[in-house]
Amino acid sequence: MSNSGHSEQLRLGFLAAVEVEGRGYVGGLLVTNQNGRPLEFQCTTPVKPDRTQEILYGKMLRPWLLGELIGQTLLQRVSIKPDMILTSDPDILELRNHIDIPVACTLDSTSSRSGQLDIEATAQMGGRKLRFHSTHQDDSKFVTRQSHLLPGQADLEEPLERVQEALNETIRTVMAR
Amino acid sequence: MSLPQPECHVINLQSRAELASAGFNPALKRIPQVDAVSIPLQPRPDFVPSWKPRRIPIKCIGLTLPEGLAFQPTKSEETLSDGVVLKRIDPPKKKQDNDEKPQRTRIKPPKNALSLQDRLFYLLQPPLETWLAGQELIMPFEPFGYQYEGIAWMFARHSALLADEMGLGKTMQTITGIRLLLRSGQINRILLICPKPLIPNWQREFRTWAEELPIVTIEGSGARRRMLWTMPGVPILITNYESMTRDLAEFSEEEQPKFDLLILDEAQRIKNRDSRTAEVARGINRRRSWALTGTPIENRPEELASLFEFLEVIPPRATPDLRQLSALAKEHILRRTKDLVMKDMPPRIDRDAELVLTDAQQYAYTVAEKEGIIQLNELGDSISVQHVFELVMRLKQITNYDPLTNESAKLERLVADMEEIAASGGKAILFSQWTKPLNWLAERLQQFNPLIYHGGVPTKHREPILAKFKEDPDAHIILMSYGTGAVGLNLQFAHYVFLFDRWWNPAIEDQAINRAHRIGVTAPVIVTRFICKDTIEERIDRVLREKREIAEAILGGGDNENVSLGLNASEIFGLFDLKKRTKKGTSESIGPVRPEAA
């Protein structure tokens, strides 16, 4: 961390989505400071595509739904704007085509899901190797420049688990109503 | 058999068609007339199915977390004025058993957090290990796993009774809980009330565990105290029970100071719900209430009801039964014992030193007991527990030393043990019920440079005495009274404890022993209880041993030594076989009726 303490800040947005059976997807965005302290959280109600959308979007349905639709909406809603978005879902990288800040995926290259996108550039941040959308490979340079603001061993997957838990809690509460 | 021969026949298929003369055949030979008609092409089809991407309306639920208190930026390692080195602690470590994930203690929402926003607030907090791992908050030492759990438990509760056994770090857990609540913007103003002798201890612990937090101790003249009670911008106020009771009575109802968090240390001080102290504590305007005690039940389970009333989890004057107390305890009390959480901690070794009185002591004891019993018997029905109590005290004092000859079996044994301890550079704590034997002992233990710490020592002299005991290698023993030395002190560098005489309640004895047997202790702690054979001490010891199990039913298992009950009046009478003479020449027992066994 820099000696100037609070002068250099990095706000991270952790974006995740969970599927609710029969009701579509619920997305959540947690904005934290560089130390993982939560600043703001926004989540959606379930979003369900209709049959036409399912047919016409085909393989692009999830990227459209999670990235463009849910991700963009959440990013517009948060009052504390993050400097970059982190996700573990490669489909959410689609969001990068609709916003001006970097979107990085924490997904390990050995994961079966990582093959869904043509991801080449990587950057090290915290204890993770991050990967980027094929059309925005320059984002890795931004991340490399900012990585000194994060504690070396910061686990960038952990806040995503918090988002998942918060989404599950929200779903339980909403379903019970 | 012969087959028939095939035959061929010719059939003529040619037929003839002839036109009959009907008159319209020439018309068939005429060439038809053709005209061109212009038909315009349609520019577009009538119906074109169209589809445009429709943006699905999305509703959002949001939560902005409070900003919290701004702290000084983190620094690198540094040394405080009292020599404590502040270190950055490592981030969460991966467990050894091939588990990929490091240990994480997450804050769970309490059961009574009903709103979604409240529950999300707790769920979204980072694991404590990450939060405290030198990233934003410097910790001088890495907390133990059970301490992380304790901090997470307190953080999420508005009503909490932390009842960890003495020595497990209630102070540190509380300070860290305060630190995190301040950090996350949940509280701004805290009042901590503790017994007066413990104020320096809290000040020292705050300096060690949360150097950045400004604390103010309410002391001085009446006007100054009044100013301090209401001074804005001070996050943490510390005061003692007497000051709380006295000062708050001076404020009118409208002027009463308000707090986000009220903490009572040694909360057994409000076990009597009718006491003025308990009433004033309950009346303090606050949003959260925490209570700390190592002995939530000292004498009767009902004492818990008073604590629950302070915590505002039962209505005023409610009298919950044992089942209800047990249910409330599950939600609002966190109690861990050393046996459960500190498996690697050096053990506490208890040994009873059964001593035989010296001849002079024996003579004095026998005479005093005989005369005392005769006098008690003569009192007949007018006997009170106070009369018996006086005899018990007199006999106990003789077991300490004979006032005429100064002979003492206990002193002989103590000197023998101390020579060995001093030779190895060790330190010992000795507890007695009275200050007189402490002064008497000090004169006779000069070779060990004894220090005295009891209620008669002015408060301002106490800290230097403790510092000398810790730092002076020639000071081998500190002589303490149970009342003053039993609570709140950290003396884990002393590995020997002597109980020169016995207190009435083993819970108090345990508190005393745990001054030495607590976190940070590096060697086993040897506890020696002096018990003189065939004396009142042996009888008291027997009664107390039989009474060690009652509160376990409420606080759960694992409590094998700390929750005990003191002697009641009937048991004090039972120490002597007191009889009164009846008119018929027989005798009958006197004193209160012994309660039926449950």
Side-chain angles (χ1 to χ4, degrees):
Chain A
M1 197 179 296
S2 70
N3 289 332
S4 54
H6 291 203
S7 61
E8 276 194 279
Q9 295 243 343
L10 183 66
R11 284 179 172 146
L12 305 170
F14 293 90
L15 181 57
V18 293
E19 189 170 5
V20 190
E21 200 178 342
R23 299 188 65 174
Y25 288 90
V26 174
L29 176 63
L30 172 67
V31 184
T32 76
N33 68 2
Q34 64 261 43
N35 296 311
R37 197 154 67 79
L39 303 173
E40 186 173 350
F41 177 72
Q42 290 281 344
C43 67
T44 68
T45 49
V47 182
K48 185 171 165 44
D50 58 28
R51 184 67 191 138
T52 315
Q53 287 161 332
E54 281 174 7
I55 294 166
L56 290 175
Y57 279 94
K59 269 170 59 177
M60 283 305 289
L61 181 71
R62 259 186 122 255
W64 169 71
L65 206 58
L66 305 188
E68 186 181 340
L69 209 56
I70 290 177
Q72 207 177 357
T73 304
L74 288 170
L75 199 57
Q76 285 163 357
R77 286 296 295 264
V78 285
S79 54
I80 302 170
K81 301 294 180 195
D83 298 309
M84 64 177 292
I85 299 287
L86 288 141
T87 180
S88 59
D89 190 329
D91 286 339
I92 290 179
L93 284 177
E94 167 62 20
L95 172 64
R96 181 62 180 96
N97 291 327
H98 306 274
I99 60 172
D100 294 330
I101 60 170
V103 182
C105 182
T106 60
L107 196 64
D108 196 77
S109 60
T110 57
S111 166
S112 58
R113 283 197 300 157
S114 70
Q116 292 172 19
L117 283 167
D118 176 21
I119 303 167
E120 287 172 4
T122 59
Q124 187 76 27
M125 193 177 222
R128 290 272 166 187
K129 191 172 273 189
L130 300 180
R131 309 169 82 209
F132 304 89
H133 195 280
S134 54
T135 56
H136 291 85
Q137 301 285 302
D138 279 354
D139 287 353
S140 64
K141 291 176 188 163
F142 169 85
V143 170
T144 304
R145 278 199 308 276
Q146 303 294 324
S147 60
H148 71 282
L149 293 173
L150 245 69
Q153 293 303 312
D155 182 0
L156 296 176
E157 286 264 356
E158 184 279 320
L160 289 165
E161 291 171 19
R162 275 186 261 162
V163 178
Q164 299 261 0
E165 259 187 67
L167 290 178
N168 289 332
E169 181 69 31
T170 309
I171 292 163
R172 265 200 301 276
T173 308
V174 172
M175 298 278 252
R177 281 174 189 163
Chain B
M1 192 172 98
S2 62
L3 292 170
Q5 287 297 312
E7 289 178 13
C8 288
H9 298 276
V10 177
I11 300 168
N12 188 5
L13 294 174
Q14 203 169 13
S15 58
R16 232 181 124 80
E18 289 180 359
L19 288 173
S21 175
F24 57 76
N25 291 342
L28 291 173
K29 293 176 181 170
R30 280 201 299 269
I31 297 172
Q33 285 187 342
V34 178
D35 289 331
V37 177
S38 165
I39 301 173
L41 286 170
Q42 277 188 299
R44 50 188 297 172
D46 283 339
F47 173 70
V48 178
S50 70
W51 185 89
K52 283 182 183 173
R54 181 177 62 88
R55 195 169 178 85
I56 304 172
I58 298 177
K59 285 183 186 169
C60 289
I61 300 167
L63 170 69
T64 304
L65 291 105
E67 198 170 319
L69 193 70
F71 284 84
Q72 292 296 312
T74 52
K75 300 175 207 164
S76 56
E77 289 181 12
E78 60 175 314
T79 306
L80 296 184
S81 55
D82 57 0
V84 174
V85 178
L86 293 184
K87 289 184 194 164
R88 286 179 186 282
I89 56 173
D90 291 333
K93 298 177 190 73
K94 288 186 177 178
K95 287 181 193 165
Q96 297 299 313
D97 52 356
N98 297 327
D99 189 346
E100 278 299 305
K101 289 190 176 177
Q103 182 186 334
R104 288 177 184 154
T105 308
R106 296 289 310 280
I107 296 167
K108 294 177 191 145
K111 280 185 184 165
N112 56 3
L114 296 178
S115 83
L116 178 62
Q117 267 79 1
D118 280 353
R119 299 181 72 77
L120 290 182
F121 169 79
Y122 294 114
L123 282 172
L124 290 170
Q125 298 302 329
L128 287 191
E129 287 84 350
T130 311
W131 208 352
L132 298 174
Q135 297 176 6
E136 287 193 308
L137 300 170
I138 288 180
M139 298 288 282
F141 314 104
E142 169 131 27
F144 293 98
Y146 74 88
Q147 290 176 325
Y148 277 126
E149 285 165 17
I151 297 161
W153 184 83
M154 291 179 91
F155 183 92
R157 270 165 181 78
H158 281 64
S159 303
L161 171 55
L162 183 62
D164 282 349
E165 191 182 10
M166 286 77 71
L168 290 185
K170 287 192 290 293
T171 306
M172 170 267 167
Q173 293 175 69
T174 304
I175 291 173
T176 310
I178 291 173
R179 207 180 183 196
L180 297 184
L181 282 171
L182 277 167
R183 187 67 167 167
S184 55
Q186 292 296 288
I187 55 173
N188 295 308
R189 200 165 150 77
I190 299 114
L191 173 63
L192 190 150
I193 297 164
C194 65
K196 196 173 180 183
L198 297 188
I199 287 180
N201 195 55
W202 274 100
Q203 290 168 331
R204 191 175 56 243
E205 294 290 314
F206 265 107
R207 279 201 303 277
T208 304
W209 288 100
E211 189 210 9
E212 80 280 5
L213 294 183
I215 55 171
V216 167
T217 307
I218 297 175
E219 56 194 355
S221 66
R224 178 179 158 77
R225 290 203 308 274
R226 188 179 176 86
M227 183 269 290
L228 292 174
W229 274 106
T230 51
M231 192 164 66
V234 179
I236 302 168
L237 285 177
I238 301 181
T239 191
N240 61 62
Y241 283 95
E242 292 74 22
S243 168
M244 169 196 82
T245 313
R246 189 180 55 230
D247 294 352
L248 290 177
E250 301 290 316
F251 289 97
S252 67
E253 202 165 314
E254 298 77 37
E255 291 174 323
Q256 286 289 326
K258 294 176 182 167
F259 299 93
D260 298 314
L261 171 63
L262 170 61
I263 303 164
L264 299 189
D265 183 25
E266 303 295 345
Q268 67 273 21
R269 291 283 286 262
I270 61 157
K271 64 185 178 186
N272 178 1
R273 58 165 55 167
D274 296 324
S275 70
R276 180 83 187 121
T277 308
E279 276 177 25
V280 173
R282 287 198 298 268
I284 294 175
N285 198 327
R286 81 277 186 185
R287 291 195 297 114
R288 289 174 187 246
S289 312
W290 291 356
L292 315 176
T293 174
T295 48
I297 305 171
E298 273 189 334
N299 291 300
R300 302 180 318 277
E302 300 83 66
E303 289 167 5
L304 259 187
S306 178
L307 289 170
F308 283 142
E309 190 173 337
F310 164 72
L311 295 177
E312 298 181 317
V313 295
I314 58 170
R317 315 308 305 167
T319 51
D321 58 25
L322 280 179
R323 188 186 54 77
Q324 291 166 322
L325 283 174
S326 181
L328 286 166
K330 270 187 190 155
E331 178 58 21
H332 298 288
I333 298 183
L334 182 64
R335 178 166 175 82
R336 283 81 58 89
T337 59
K338 286 194 196 113
D339 289 354
L340 291 175
V341 300
M342 297 294 291
K343 295 188 173 63
D344 299 329
M345 191 165 159
R348 161 182 151 180
I349 300 166
D350 287 28
R351 55 180 194 183
D352 289 345
E354 290 192 356
L355 306 173
V356 179
L357 293 176
T358 66
D359 291 344
Q361 275 182 296
Q362 186 64 61
Y363 178 76
Y365 185 91
T366 310
V367 170
E369 186 173 38
K370 271 187 186 165
E371 286 178 358
I373 290 175
I374 289 168
Q375 284 170 5
L376 290 176
N377 279 329
E378 283 172 355
L379 288 170
D381 278 342
S382 64
I383 194 170
S384 72
V385 69
Q386 191 57 36
H387 293 120
V388 187
F389 204 67
E390 279 167 14
L391 175 60
V392 173
M393 299 295 255
R394 203 164 131 218
L395 296 177
K396 282 183 76 175
Q397 283 163 352
I398 294 172
T399 63
N400 280 353
Y401 65 93
D402 172 27
L404 278 179
T405 62
N406 282 329
E407 277 188 22
S408 167
K410 290 182 180 179
L411 177 65
E412 288 171 15
R413 170 66 185 266
L414 178 65
V415 170
D417 282 4
M418 278 309 300
E419 280 170 354
E420 203 176 310
I421 292 166
S424 63
K427 290 179 187 285
I429 312 169
L430 180 141
F431 285 98
S432 172
Q433 195 173 352
W434 299 281
T435 55
K436 197 174 167 187
L438 295 178
N439 294 329
W440 181 85
L441 279 170
E443 290 172 23
R444 287 157 180 81
L445 296 170
Q446 284 303 310
Q447 66 270 41
F448 308 115
N449 297 310
L451 295 161
I452 292 187
Y453 187 98
H454 55 57
V457 177
T459 309
K460 61 181 178 183
H461 293 161
R462 292 182 186 178
E463 277 288 301
I465 289 173
L466 296 177
K468 183 174 167 58
F469 182 52
K470 184 178 182 182
E471 288 154 18
D472 183 353
D474 294 326
H476 291 292
I477 188 165
I478 188 165
L479 308 170
M480 293 184 145
S481 61
Y482 284 105
T484 310
V487 289
L489 303 175
N490 297 326
L491 303 172
Q492 55 271 66
F493 50 89
H495 297 145
Y496 300 88
V497 176
F498 292 100
L499 304 185
F500 196 66
D501 45 54
R502 306 295 305 279
W503 190 257
W504 301 103
N505 187 333
I508 304 295
E509 290 185 345
D510 285 327
Q511 278 191 337
I513 292 163
N514 284 311
R515 299 309 99 217
H517 190 239
R518 60 199 297 118
I519 290 170
V521 66
T522 53
V525 174
I526 296 170
V527 180
T528 308
R529 288 191 180 86
F530 289 149
I531 300 168
C532 290
K533 281 186 79 175
D534 302 323
T535 67
I536 190 78
E537 287 191 325
E538 216 174 41
R539 274 172 264 163
I540 292 172
D541 183 59
R542 200 162 44 238
V543 176
L544 294 182
R545 278 176 196 275
E546 289 167 2
K547 292 167 63 69
R548 279 180 171 258
E549 293 170 0
I550 289 183
E552 198 177 317
I554 296 167
L555 295 173
D559 233 324
N560 61 356
E561 53 187 37
N562 284 292
V563 181
S564 318
L565 305 178
L567 293 180
N568 60 31
S570 127
E571 284 153 349
I572 290 172
F573 273 97
L575 294 171
F576 303 99
D577 187 21
L578 296 174
K579 309 281 183 191
K580 72 170 179 180
R581 302 222 170 267
T582 62
K583 287 174 185 172
K584 293 175 185 172
T586 58
S587 62
E588 62 184 52
S589 294
I590 53 177
V593 178
R594 185 182 284 264
E596 289 295 320

